[in-house]
Amino acid sequence: MPGNNYNCTPLTPRSRLERLLRERELRKSSRNSQPTDEARDGNKEAEQFYSDSFISENEISGTNNEEEVSEVLTDRSQRQDERPYKQRLLVVANRLPVSAVREGVDSYHLEISVGGLVSALLGVKEFDTRWIGWAGVNVPDDIGQKALTKALAEMRCIPVFLDEEIVNQYYNGYCNNILWPLFHYLGLPQEDRLATTRSFQSQFDAYKKANQMFADVVNKHYEEGDVVWCHDYHLMFLPKCLKEYNDKMKVGWFLHTPFPSSEIHRTLPSRSELLRSVLAADLVGFHTYDYARHFVSACTRILGLEGTPEGVEDQGRLTRVAAFPIGIDSERFIRALELPEVQEHMKELKERFAGRKVMLGVDRLDMIKGIPQKILAFEKFLEENSHWRDKVVLLQIAVPTRTDVPEYQKLTSQVHEIVGRINGRFGTLTAVPIHHLDRSLDFQALCALYAVTDVALVTSLRDGMNLVSYEFVACQASKKGVLILSEFAGAAQSLGAGAILVNPWNITEVAASIGYALDMPADEREKRHQVNFKHVTTHTSQEWAATFVSELNDTIVEAQLRTRQVPPLLPNKVAVDCYSKSNNRLIILGFNATLTEPVDALGRGGQIKELELTLHPNLKEPLKKLSDDPKTTIVVLSGSDRAVLDNNFSEYNMWLAAENGMFLRLTSGEWMTTLPENLNMDWVDSVKHVFEYFTERTPRSHFELRETSVIWNYKYADVEFGRLQARDLLQHLWTGPISNASLDVVQGGRSVEVRAVGVSKGAAIDRILGEIVHNKGMKAPIDYVLCIGHFLAKDEDVYKFFEPELPSESSSIARAMLSNSYRPSSLPKFSANKSGSKASRYKKQHSLSNIEKSQIDYASGDAWRPTYRDRISLHEGSSVLDLKGDNYFSCAVARKRSSARYLLKTSHDVVNLLSDLADHSSSPST
């Protein structure tokens, strides 16, 4: 049987960093090795594609020529086809890089769609790229769909056909009315809350439906080995849809907006579904570390998952989360400044504003761009610096967006009112301080404007990145102007060293920064510009895309390596068949999270359930049948105390092993102890006081006092606070109560346990088996063992106890003790096959090696001496196994990586397995 080959160590691969560095060098050498003519052709191609269109995050568009677009993209496709094989990249975004306008029954006018993503990905030459998305037009008929598909295919674009109702509910509704405001900290819609709550569900349903439509198109065109790159908040459900279709698919997801803090995201009704859907991706990318941190925090606090430095871990599967700051095609802007048309524009602008410093703002007319705050700060600057009034001008390009939405109409009126007031107050007959344009500029005019600007002013209230700041820096090689940048824009993380960072809400601060920028000495301007220019020219859009895909490919490699360490799912049918054919079975079961009902990891009504552990109701009948089977012996081996096990299992005919096997009884008998005679428990009171103190300091934590251990559990406390408290608690323990004691500190996922040295389930199982054999007077060897539990890593030695495959070396002391150990004549002698004999030999060696360690440490008082009784139990327990190699099934429940052979995902799977076994059990009368 397959099982978990944890004893086979795979060859250690090169480190992840080494792989990524090597790929980065290969990309660089590949680009540098291109012939000069080809590179020049590529530059011309880019210029042709982008001519007469301004491509930036702000979606400022100019004129378009669909024939040029078609020629460029088709030519690019043909040139790619002539080159050696490249990995296919399927870029899935809400919109295609071209928009379609229907002109006839079977003809379409194609226009360039503009945006930072288009700019970033069209320059990527390392991959064979296909775009999948909506073309911006409703095409209900088959003829139109076929015609559009054919036209777009020439540009390597694949359309997703969305009808008007879906677009309204999915795009205008859920995406733009709910997700976009929430991700930009504007909150959920407040008007008519009841109606809004009702619409949430219908819009979310449309959102899921639209995402599934995108997934269907991807699945249709997917080829093995493709990389699928999903983009933005429009497609948060897409990774889950794709993985459900093919879990081997390489899926990445990137968010181009901010991701809000967990406290903001938790207000969303569909918060958990969206997070889990995104987590289906292999790699999740954000512009800044802050956004990535917020995402991990949301998964931890809302879903109760484990956040790690690499990402988010759930049931052994790791979703990598990382920051990938996007850039621009800086070379395109630098080259544009040399064009005659741009030089002419620059000359006109210099003449127009001769003798005046030029300040520039380029934004979409949007609530998050902070245009009113910018203009008000400029007004305050003019108020406080009268000598600058005739010497500075603010050029504000505000590109209209969503002009049909009342909030945007209101913002437009507000901006016009403020501009009019300031110009009326500080303007003259010949000049005004603010030039405000409600339109876009073409690419060449914009580059000229960037080049003549002295101070660029970016005052976003919240912005995913803001590439205007990058474009300004790229055009400032000669002028070396100053960038004033909002700290709430993602670009502040990248350009913060050279820019003047401001809080746009603080009008006084922004006004002072304007004055500082205008008066800045030339040498400081030079230094600031060089820092920013170096970043903009090295962190390009092409490097961003190539890095993301490279990391995604590497994440897949790492996931495959990690999967080898995760046990496979238990083959229930095989386990049941082996059970039915065996004659003397032993079933060892954990209790908490194994035989109990699953509880919410965040404690939404679940903490009381965990504190009052009760048997899963669906297990009562199967356990009754199993425990009544004369061929089956059941042991519940738990860390819980005796009272908990008595309350749940007294009615069954089974063995109960409480406190990790330190107390044992057959349900028809009395409790007996397997505690070492001279076990020192003087440490309990002092550790208890420390745990009490931290329980009081940590809301929703609790501690449990047992006879051989003390446990502090912070599973339901605030995750980050709980971890800090646990670290503080451990420091207190090591420097205080247990500094000189012979104790084990066992850290669980969100718990800290202090127990006596040598107390573990694996150490106890040999003595437990000895008692069982002695009590039952077995006439035949145990030929089937099933061990299931949600055990701590320290207690997983119980799995290894029965493992016949593991070799073990016994020392001279162990061999001496084995030869001198007491062999009671009353114990039945079983003949074992080779596999059983090996298991038996290993078991004696394994257990005695623990005792040997105790013997060695005994002189220093750090361990207990094995007693006469221990040696009897040890020999009895280990000499009755005849598992025939494959009749042993060890199963970890909901564990990521385990030394068990197999995995059961939840306690519901345990219920199903035990129910199947019960159906194959015989009654006492048979």
Side-chain angles (χ1 to χ4, degrees):
M1 292 191 302
N4 179 24
N5 296 321
Y6 60 88
N7 56 324
C8 300
T9 305
L11 293 175
T12 304
R14 287 198 308 270
S15 70
R16 173 175 162 273
L17 182 59
E18 185 180 341
R19 291 195 298 268
L20 293 174
L21 285 173
R22 182 173 180 181
E23 189 160 339
R24 184 170 179 264
E25 291 303 315
L26 288 173
R27 287 202 306 270
K28 282 186 176 180
S29 62
S30 175
R31 283 197 293 266
N32 294 336
S33 64
Q34 286 183 344
T36 307
D37 291 341
E38 183 181 346
R40 192 178 298 118
D41 290 343
N43 293 341
K44 289 180 179 178
E45 174 186 308
E47 284 302 332
Q48 185 180 12
F49 185 90
Y50 286 115
S51 62
D52 298 329
S53 68
F54 163 43
I55 297 181
S56 79
E57 182 193 49
N58 296 276
E59 299 182 0
I60 299 169
S61 59
T63 59
N64 302 287
N65 188 320
E66 76 282 359
E67 294 178 357
E68 289 181 356
V69 177
S70 175
E71 180 183 345
V72 169
L73 285 175
T74 304
D75 177 62
R76 180 170 181 262
S77 303
Q78 291 171 349
R79 294 204 300 124
Q80 283 183 341
D81 290 341
E82 293 168 1
R83 296 173 187 167
Y85 169 79
K86 297 179 180 180
Q87 184 175 23
R88 287 211 328 168
L89 175 63
L90 302 183
V91 177
V92 192
N94 177 59
R95 291 296 297 270
L96 290 170
V98 290
S99 296
V101 177
R102 193 163 188 169
E103 292 186 327
V105 176
D106 58 356
S107 63
Y108 285 87
H109 172 77
L110 300 178
E111 298 178 347
I112 299 176
S113 297
V114 292
L117 181 61
V118 180
S119 173
L121 292 177
L122 282 177
V124 177
K125 309 292 184 184
E126 288 86 357
F127 305 99
D128 180 11
T129 306
R130 265 78 167 169
W131 284 73
I132 296 176
W134 179 48
V137 60
N138 180 30
V139 188
D141 58 297
D142 291 340
I143 296 176
Q145 291 185 4
K146 289 178 181 177
L148 181 56
T149 300
K150 182 178 179 181
L152 291 171
E154 297 177 1
M155 302 180 180
R156 299 207 162 200
C157 293
I158 302 166
V160 177
F161 295 105
L162 304 176
D163 60 48
E164 289 186 9
E165 176 63 22
I166 285 287
V167 169
N168 185 50
Q169 289 276 337
Y170 145 73
Y171 181 69
N172 297 327
Y174 199 77
C175 292
N176 288 340
N177 195 44
I178 295 177
L179 289 182
W180 189 89
L182 190 79
F183 283 12
H184 289 85
Y185 289 78
L186 299 177
L188 295 172
Q190 295 297 312
E191 307 85 20
D192 189 4
R193 295 182 182 180
L194 185 61
T196 301
T197 306
R198 282 204 303 267
S199 68
F200 276 170
Q201 190 57 48
S202 62
Q203 291 178 0
F204 184 56
D205 291 342
Y207 181 85
K208 289 194 289 186
K209 182 179 179 181
N211 275 244
Q212 185 60 57
M213 293 170 73
F214 277 85
D216 292 341
V217 175
V218 174
N219 296 337
K220 182 179 178 182
H221 293 85
Y222 174 79
E223 297 176 6
E224 187 176 354
D226 288 357
V227 171
V228 183
W229 192 0
C230 315
H231 287 272
D232 232 353
Y233 59 93
H234 312 90
L235 301 175
M236 293 180 75
F237 227 80
L238 184 56
K240 180 183 177 183
C241 297
L242 296 176
K243 286 290 188 176
E244 286 177 348
Y245 173 77
N246 182 353
D247 63 354
K248 304 296 183 186
M249 195 180 289
K250 299 177 182 179
V251 179
W253 182 80
F254 192 91
L255 182 66
H256 293 268
T257 69
F259 192 89
S261 74
S262 59
E263 290 304 302
I264 297 291
H265 186 76
R266 72 163 64 244
T267 61
L268 190 64
S270 51
R271 58 196 185 182
S272 298
E273 275 191 88
L274 287 178
L275 288 176
R276 289 198 180 277
S277 300
V278 169
L279 287 175
D282 299 291
L283 177 62
V284 176
F286 299 91
H287 282 310
T288 73
Y289 172 71
D290 285 351
Y291 306 155
R293 180 169 52 83
H294 287 159
F295 177 79
V296 173
S297 177
C299 293
T300 302
R301 293 171 178 270
I302 296 173
L303 301 180
L305 302 179
E306 195 67 29
T308 71
E310 291 78 29
V312 180
E313 200 163 335
D314 180 18
Q315 299 292 330
R317 184 185 182 278
L318 176 70
T319 300
R320 280 209 62 226
V321 180
F324 301 90
I326 196 173
I328 62 170
D329 184 359
S330 54
E331 283 298 315
R332 173 171 169 258
F333 286 86
I334 295 170
R335 289 194 307 270
L337 297 179
E338 301 173 1
L339 297 175
E341 301 92 328
V342 176
Q343 291 286 337
E344 184 64 29
H345 274 301
M346 290 170 60
K347 181 181 177 182
E348 293 174 2
L349 289 170
K350 287 176 181 178
E351 292 174 355
R352 174 72 178 80
F353 299 111
R356 303 173 80 184
K357 293 280 188 179
V358 177
M359 295 177 59
L360 176 66
V362 179
D363 308 276
R364 282 184 292 110
L365 192 53
D366 203 317
M367 278 83 73
I368 64 164
K369 294 299 181 180
I371 296 176
Q373 287 79 1
K374 179 191 306 185
I375 299 173
L376 290 173
F378 183 62
E379 180 183 30
K380 187 168 185 63
F381 166 75
L382 294 178
E383 285 177 357
E384 297 177 349
N385 299 273
S386 56
H387 61 285
W388 275 108
R389 290 179 184 174
D390 296 327
K391 299 177 182 177
V392 63
V393 59
L394 171 62
L395 307 180
Q396 177 60 52
I397 312 299
V399 182
T401 57
R402 303 183 69 185
T403 52
D404 56 333
V405 178
E407 289 85 353
Y408 286 76
Q409 295 170 352
K410 182 178 179 182
L411 176 65
T412 303
S413 300
Q414 180 186 11
V415 169
H416 288 174
E417 180 183 333
I418 298 173
V419 169
R421 189 186 75 239
I422 295 173
N423 281 341
R425 182 180 175 188
F426 297 108
T428 64
L429 290 174
T430 55
V432 291
I434 301 177
H435 288 253
H436 180 86
L437 277 70
D438 279 329
R439 66 179 182 84
S440 62
L441 295 180
D442 63 49
F443 174 68
Q444 295 174 353
L446 190 71
C447 288
L449 194 53
Y450 281 143
V452 301
T453 296
D454 296 281
V455 178
L457 201 50
V458 177
T459 55
S460 305
L461 306 181
R462 192 71 60 174
D463 225 344
M465 195 64 182
N466 194 290
L467 295 180
V468 164
S469 55
Y470 278 63
E471 294 166 357
F472 167 74
V473 170
C475 295
Q476 283 288 312
S478 59
K479 190 84 170 183
K480 296 177 176 57
V482 182
L483 173 64
I484 297 177
L485 180 59
S486 166
E487 63 186 62
F488 301 118
Q493 302 283 337
S494 307
L495 305 180
I500 300 176
L501 296 185
V502 295
N503 175 0
W505 295 99
N506 188 336
I507 303 300
T508 303
E509 178 190 355
V510 179
S513 297
I514 291 173
Y516 181 69
L518 291 172
D519 292 325
M520 186 178 292
D523 59 336
E524 183 179 350
R525 289 207 321 271
E526 171 82 24
K527 290 176 182 176
R528 286 176 176 269
H529 169 73
Q530 289 303 330
V531 170
N532 284 344
F533 189 77
K534 182 178 180 181
H535 181 90
V536 168
T537 52
T538 54
H539 295 75
T540 62
S541 55
Q542 293 82 7
E543 186 64 24
W544 165 78
T547 300
F548 185 93
V549 179
S550 172
E551 292 251 11
L552 176 56
N553 279 320
D554 193 76
T555 298
I556 302 297
V557 173
E558 284 205 324
Q560 291 169 347
L561 295 173
R562 191 165 42 249
T563 301
R564 296 175 189 173
Q565 304 170 17
V566 179
L569 294 177
L570 175 71
N572 279 30
K573 187 176 185 304
V574 176
V576 173
D577 287 345
C578 291
Y579 173 86
S580 62
K581 295 173 184 176
S582 55
N583 296 309
N584 193 6
R585 309 135 176 169
L586 174 65
I587 299 178
I588 301 170
L589 303 171
F591 182 34
N592 191 5
T594 303
L595 302 180
T596 59
E597 285 190 276
V599 295
D600 189 338
L602 297 170
R604 299 187 181 99
Q607 185 170 359
I608 299 301
K609 289 183 180 180
E610 185 175 273
L611 291 175
E612 299 177 0
L613 289 174
T614 55
L615 180 66
H616 197 300
N618 294 343
L619 276 173
K620 292 183 177 181
E621 186 176 341
L623 275 183
K624 180 68 174 170
K625 286 184 180 179
L626 289 171
S627 61
D628 288 343
D629 186 343
K631 294 182 180 180
T632 303
T633 302
I634 298 180
V635 180
V636 175
L637 179 56
S638 173
S640 301
D641 60 30
R642 289 174 281 179
V644 172
L645 298 188
D646 283 339
N647 291 338
N648 285 280
F649 300 102
S650 291
E651 63 187 273
Y652 304 101
N653 178 28
M654 60 174 61
W655 289 83
L656 303 179
E659 300 204 24
N660 299 306
M662 291 298 100
F663 300 95
L664 181 68
R665 85 170 175 111
L666 186 61
T667 47
S668 59
E670 298 297 324
W671 282 103
M672 66 185 86
T673 179
T674 62
L675 285 170
E677 292 177 357
N678 58 342
L679 190 62
N680 186 343
M681 298 297 293
D682 294 341
W683 52 269
V684 172
D685 284 341
S686 54
V687 171
K688 173 190 168 187
H689 291 318
V690 174
F691 280 15
E692 282 179 338
Y693 173 70
F694 279 91
T695 300
E696 291 172 2
R697 285 179 55 182
T698 313
R700 299 182 75 183
S701 69
H702 63 278
F703 82 96
E704 187 177 349
L705 181 63
R706 299 171 182 170
E707 292 192 46
T708 58
S709 64
V710 188
I711 301 171
W712 182 65
N713 189 307
Y714 58 97
K715 179 178 180 180
Y716 299 116
D718 179 271
V719 177
E720 293 177 16
F721 184 59
R723 285 177 183 155
L724 291 173
Q725 293 292 83
R727 189 172 63 189
D728 201 7
L729 178 145
L730 287 169
Q731 188 175 358
H732 274 71
L733 288 177
W734 287 120
T735 57
I738 67 172
S739 55
N740 296 314
S742 180
L743 300 170
D744 280 335
V745 177
V746 184
Q747 295 188 59
R750 293 177 192 172
S751 66
V752 177
E753 180 178 358
V754 179
R755 61 170 74 158
V757 166
V759 175
S760 74
K761 292 179 172 66
I765 195 65
D766 215 356
R767 296 190 295 275
I768 294 170
L769 276 180
E771 291 293 346
I772 293 173
V773 172
H774 190 75
N775 179 275
K776 296 187 75 168
M778 286 186 179
K779 304 299 182 188
I782 295 173
D783 59 355
Y784 179 92
V785 174
L786 173 64
C787 184
I788 307 174
H790 180 80
F791 299 139
L792 296 174
K794 180 176 177 61
D795 292 322
E796 286 205 340
D797 54 358
V798 69
Y799 298 138
K800 298 178 183 177
F801 181 91
F802 298 97
E803 194 62 64
E805 299 173 3
L806 287 177
S808 177
E809 297 179 1
S810 57
S811 68
S812 57
I813 297 178
R815 284 195 297 269
M817 292 185 66
L818 177 60
S819 63
N820 294 326
S821 61
Y822 177 75
R823 291 177 172 82
S825 58
S826 59
L827 189 70
K829 304 294 188 297
F830 302 127
S831 61
N833 60 16
K834 291 182 180 180
S835 174
S837 175
K838 180 181 176 183
S840 179
R841 273 202 313 275
Y842 161 65
K843 284 285 66 69
K844 293 171 186 174
Q845 294 165 355
H846 175 76
S847 299
L848 285 171
S849 64
N850 289 334
I851 295 176
E852 172 207 345
K853 179 179 181 295
S854 302
Q855 287 280 39
I856 293 170
D857 294 337
Y858 183 73
S860 61
D862 290 338
W864 48 273
R865 184 184 299 277
T867 64
Y868 172 80
R869 171 81 182 190
D870 293 325
R871 292 199 296 273
I872 295 178
S873 300
L874 174 69
H875 177 67
E876 289 179 340
S878 60
S879 60
V880 296
L881 300 175
D882 183 17
L883 298 180
K884 299 183 178 64
D886 291 336
N887 269 15
Y888 171 49
F889 298 86
S890 55
C891 307
V893 180
R895 276 287 173 215
K896 306 169 184 66
R897 284 176 286 278
S898 171
S899 55
R901 287 187 173 191
Y902 300 102
L903 179 68
L904 290 169
K905 288 186 176 180
T906 68
S907 58
H908 292 307
D909 296 324
V910 178
V911 172
N912 295 333
L913 174 62
L914 295 183
S915 298
D916 290 343
L917 294 179
D919 292 339
H920 289 77
S921 293
S922 56
S923 62
S925 59
T926 57

